[in-house]
Amino acid sequence: MSVVAQLKNIVGNRHVKTSPRATKRFRKGFRSGEGEVEAVVIPGSLLELWQILQVAVAADRIIIMQAANTGLTEGSTPKGQYDRNVILVSTRRMNQLQFIQNGDQVISFPGASLFDLEKQLGEMGRQPHSVIGSSCIGASIVGGVCNSSGGSLVERGPAYTELSLYAQIDENGQLSLVNELGVELGDSPEDILTRLQQGKFDETDVVADHRSASASDYVKIVRDVDADTPARFNADKSRLYGASGCAGKLAVFAVRVDTFPSYAREKTFYVGTKDEDVFTDLRRAILSEFKTLPVSAEYMHAEAYDIAADYGKDTMVMIDKLGTARLPQFFALKGTVDAWLENIPFLSKFTDQFLQFAMRFWPEILPKRSREFRQKYPHHLILKMHDGGIEEAQTLLESLKAQGKLDFFECNPREAKMVGLHRFAAAGAAIRYLNVHPKEAGDIIALDIALRRNDKHWFEKLPADISKQIVAKLYYGHFMCHVLHQDYIVKKGADPAKIKAAMLDILDQRGSEYPAEHNVGHLYKAKPDLANFYKELDPTNSMNPGIGKMSRNKHYAEH
C-alpha cells in the first residue's frame, strides 16, 4: 500500500491533500518560501498524529510540522531540493486547551492559537504569555515555543517551557514518544496520547518540580540596561531545551506553559519625539528605575507609520470589525483564492490589489491625535503601563514634556485599540506594498534583530550606497527588549541577497544578534550552538531539514 493510501486510512480522504493546487497554501510561507510535498495530511487527534509519524518514518519520508503557517522566515514550509519525499503535517485541527492547577498553567495541543488561549483565559481573569501585537495572525502556542518567539509583553520574555510531550527520531531511525510534560499518563504511546486527548487525568497526576513553564528570569535580564549582550535571541543556549527552540526538529504533541494574572488597571500613552536619544534615555529610565515594568512598549518610525496606514488598513479594519477569532479563516480563504489565481498573470495579485483598492473608500480609521503626532514627530512609542506603573509613567513623561523633549497623550480605550492594531499591521504592510507595486518594488528584506541592551545608538542609519537601493524602510519593534523588526522594500533590479549580506555585516559590527524571535527558518544561517542543538534533536535529519541553511540530506550529508 502506498504512503498516501496509508495516510488516508488514518485520517480519511478529506484530510490528505496531494494536488499542487490543494497543497499550495500549506507549501507556501506566510511571507515567502515554497516547495514541493508528496502530501499534506491534517490529523484530528494526537493518536492520528502518532500513526502518521509511524508511517512516514517507516517509509523514510521527510516530515515537516506546521501549525498556523504564520512563520516569517520560511521555517514551516518546504524549500529547495531534498533527497527524500516530504510529508507536511498540518496540526490546525488539534486545537484543544486543558487548564491545570486552577488555571495557573495550560496544556496546549499543537494547533491551539494564542487567540484561543487569550479568549479563554480572559474569562478566568488571567493572561497568556503573548497577545496580538507582534507579527502574526492566528499564531499557535506550540509554534511560539518551538521557535522561541518573543512577543510584545515586556515582562514575559521568549516563549519557553521545559514541560512538553514530543516524538523524536533517534540516530538509528527509530521513532519514540518522549513524555516530559510532567503529567502521569501511562507507558505506551497509545495510552499516553489517548488519555491526554480525553483529559483522563487529575491534579494528582500532575507533577510539580523544578522545571520551568516560562522564562521566569526574564524581568531581571531585561532590566540590565548596561549589559553588552541582547536580552533575547533565537540562538541563546539558555533557551534551548526539548521542544523549546526545536524549530520542527521534533514533532511536538503538547506543551505545558504558565499563565499570568490579569492587571487591575491599564493605561496606554502615545509618545512622540524628534530626537531618538530621548527614547534611549526614556527606555533606560523605565527599565532601571520603575518599580513596575510596562505591559508593552512598541516603537514605530514615521515611514512605517505611513506604509502601515496605507497598506495595512484592511488588516486593522478586519480585526476591528470582525474580531480576531474569524481572521485565521479569512486568511485561509484568501490563501485558497490566491492559489487558484496564481497562474493567471493579470489576476495573480488580485486579492491584495482588490483589498487595497477597497480601502480607499473606507473612512479614516486611525485616531486623530495619532495622525497629528505623525505630522510633528518621526519617532513614535505606544507605551502601555499597568497598576503602579501608570503613575510612574505619567510623572516621567510630564517631566520630559516640560523640558520640551517629547510630547504625549493618554489614549482612551478606542485610541489604545487602534494604535495597537496599527503597530500590528506594520508586519504585513511591506508584503502588500510589494504586491501592489510590482514595477518599482523588487523584493523585501525582513530583518529581525536583537540589539545589545546597552546600545544607545539603536536607530539605524544606513550607508548611502545601500539606502539608494531601497524604496522604503519600515522600522518597528519591541523597544524595551531592544528587539527591532526592520523591513526594507528593495528597488526593482537591485540585488537583495547582496544588500542583506551588507546589512548583516553592519549588525555583526554592532554586536547584534539575529534573528531575535522569528527563528532562522530557511533565511538565516544557524550559529554553531543552534546547529548542534538541531543535530542532537534530529540526528538523521528527517524533521524539517535545511533550516538554518544546513544540509537537506539524510544524516546531514553535504552531497
Side-chain angles (χ1 to χ4, degrees):
M1 186 182 296
S2 70
V3 169
V4 170
Q6 293 179 70
L7 296 176
K8 288 181 177 179
N9 281 344
I10 295 169
V11 301
N13 292 351
R14 178 185 175 189
H15 299 298
V16 178
K17 304 180 185 298
T18 56
S19 73
R21 182 173 289 173
T23 60
K24 179 73 173 182
R25 66 187 180 91
F26 300 94
R27 295 184 292 108
K28 186 173 183 179
F30 176 76
R31 179 176 273 167
S32 63
E34 184 177 351
E36 302 301 319
V37 299
E38 180 177 3
V40 171
V41 57
I42 313 171
S45 71
L46 301 180
L47 185 57
E48 286 182 357
L49 173 56
W50 172 252
Q51 293 168 341
I52 290 164
L53 296 174
Q54 288 179 308
V55 169
V57 171
D60 195 24
R61 296 304 198 257
I62 285 170
I63 301 163
I64 297 179
M65 303 293 297
Q66 182 186 96
N69 194 14
T70 57
L72 298 180
T73 57
E74 307 177 1
S76 58
T77 52
K79 176 74 176 287
Q81 297 296 317
Y82 299 94
D83 60 350
R84 293 149 288 169
N85 287 350
V86 176
I87 303 296
L88 190 153
V89 182
S90 171
T91 65
R92 59 195 178 96
R93 292 174 62 210
M94 298 177 291
N95 58 359
Q96 191 171 334
L97 295 167
Q98 297 173 340
F99 296 94
I100 59 176
Q101 298 183 335
N102 298 315
D104 288 356
Q105 291 185 335
V106 62
I107 295 173
S108 170
F109 285 20
S113 74
L114 284 167
F115 290 157
D116 298 331
L117 181 57
E118 184 178 8
K119 180 180 179 181
Q120 293 187 43
L121 283 177
E123 299 169 357
M124 304 166 63
R126 298 189 69 81
Q127 299 176 331
H129 163 270
S130 300
V131 296
I132 185 173
S134 182
S135 300
C136 299
I137 293 173
S140 71
I141 299 161
V142 168
V145 169
C146 292
N147 290 296
S148 302
S149 298
S152 60
L153 303 184
V154 175
E155 297 173 300
R156 304 286 194 257
Y160 179 76
T161 186
E162 296 169 0
L163 299 159
S164 61
L165 175 66
Y166 57 85
Q168 184 173 27
I169 303 171
D170 67 19
E171 64 274 11
N172 298 314
Q174 298 300 307
L175 180 71
S176 63
L177 186 69
V178 181
N179 184 6
E180 294 181 345
L181 195 61
V183 182
E184 298 295 338
L185 294 165
D187 297 317
S188 72
E190 292 75 16
D191 287 345
I192 292 170
L193 297 173
T194 300
R195 285 187 62 187
L196 182 60
Q197 183 85 48
Q198 297 175 355
K200 289 187 175 180
F201 62 91
D202 56 36
E203 291 294 332
T204 63
D205 296 312
V206 177
V207 178
D209 55 25
H210 65 281
R211 290 177 293 177
S212 297
S214 63
S216 55
D217 59 342
Y218 186 70
V219 168
K220 181 179 179 181
I221 292 170
V222 76
R223 279 188 179 276
D224 189 357
V225 295
D226 292 316
D228 198 34
T229 56
R232 56 181 173 91
F233 56 98
N234 283 127
D236 183 354
K237 286 181 67 174
S238 69
R239 302 299 181 198
L240 302 177
Y241 185 101
S244 294
C246 76
K249 302 301 282 184
L250 301 171
V252 180
F253 288 79
V255 296
R256 176 176 157 190
V257 294
D258 288 333
T259 69
F260 305 88
S262 296
Y263 303 124
R265 295 185 298 138
E266 291 186 2
K267 173 69 73 173
T268 297
F269 301 90
Y270 197 93
V271 190
T273 186
K274 296 179 180 178
D275 182 358
E276 65 261 26
D277 291 339
V278 172
F279 278 179
T280 301
D281 296 338
L282 178 68
R283 172 182 171 271
R284 291 179 64 86
I286 289 174
L287 292 177
S288 60
E289 299 172 12
F290 278 24
K291 293 182 179 179
T292 304
L293 287 181
V295 177
S296 60
E298 294 298 295
Y299 171 77
M300 286 185 75
H301 183 256
E303 196 166 7
Y305 183 108
D306 292 342
I307 291 179
D310 286 340
Y311 299 93
K313 186 176 181 180
D314 59 303
T315 297
M316 291 184 278
V317 170
M318 285 187 289
I319 296 176
D320 182 40
K321 302 304 179 184
L322 299 179
T324 56
R326 297 180 185 177
L327 284 202
Q329 290 81 4
F330 172 83
F331 280 93
L333 176 61
K334 179 180 180 295
T336 300
V337 174
D338 287 341
W340 276 84
L341 299 177
E342 183 184 34
N343 295 322
I344 305 174
F346 62 92
L347 291 177
S348 61
K349 305 296 183 182
F350 172 76
T351 57
D352 284 299
Q353 292 170 346
F354 173 78
L355 289 170
Q356 191 64 31
F357 175 77
M359 285 300 105
R360 295 181 183 178
F361 305 98
W362 196 274
E364 177 60 62
I365 194 169
L366 285 174
K368 179 181 178 181
R369 290 199 287 180
S370 80
R371 287 183 279 123
E372 290 174 345
F373 266 46
R374 167 60 190 93
Q375 300 305 314
K376 298 177 182 178
Y377 306 109
H379 303 287
H380 299 242
L381 188 67
I382 306 165
L383 181 65
K384 181 184 288 189
M385 303 299 301
H386 72 92
D387 302 319
I390 296 172
E391 286 73 31
E392 289 182 292
Q394 285 174 323
T395 299
L396 178 58
L397 292 173
E398 286 170 359
S399 173
L400 293 172
K401 181 177 180 177
Q403 298 172 47
K405 293 183 176 182
L406 54 74
D407 197 2
F408 76 96
F409 63 86
E410 297 181 20
C411 296
N412 61 40
R414 176 66 181 172
E415 290 173 325
K417 177 182 179 180
M418 296 317 299
V419 298
L421 291 181
H422 184 210
R423 156 61 188 91
F424 175 82
I431 302 173
R432 171 61 57 76
Y433 188 103
L434 182 68
N435 289 336
V436 174
H437 300 284
K439 293 182 179 179
E440 62 180 89
D443 207 341
I444 296 172
I445 298 173
L447 298 184
D448 163 35
I449 65 174
L451 303 177
R452 292 176 290 117
R453 282 168 282 177
N454 66 352
D455 192 343
K456 296 182 180 180
H457 304 291
W458 55 272
F459 187 70
E460 181 179 71
K461 294 177 174 61
L462 284 174
D465 62 324
I466 296 179
S467 289
K468 68 181 182 182
Q469 302 180 74
I470 306 297
V471 175
K473 300 185 288 288
L474 285 74
Y475 295 141
Y476 56 97
H478 315 304
F479 194 63
M480 295 295 142
C481 303
H482 252 192
V483 167
L484 293 179
H485 304 301
Q486 301 183 170
D487 297 343
Y488 310 86
I489 302 171
V490 180
K491 287 182 179 179
K492 195 82 169 180
D495 185 346
K498 185 177 180 180
I499 296 170
K500 181 177 179 179
M503 289 175 171
L504 294 183
D505 284 343
I506 294 171
L507 292 174
D508 289 338
Q509 295 169 22
R510 294 175 61 188
S512 305
E513 290 281 355
Y514 51 84
E517 60 182 8
H518 292 160
N519 220 339
V520 289
H522 288 287
L523 299 184
Y524 294 90
K525 183 177 180 179
K527 294 188 175 181
D529 287 339
L530 191 57
N532 290 335
F533 178 64
Y534 291 158
K535 290 181 178 180
E536 290 172 3
L537 295 181
D538 179 27
T540 67
N541 201 22
S542 297
M543 305 289 298
N544 207 11
I547 57 167
K549 297 188 179 295
M550 298 168 67
S551 169
R552 292 180 171 85
N553 299 326
K554 196 168 184 179
H555 296 291
Y556 300 92
E558 291 302 323
H559 300 289

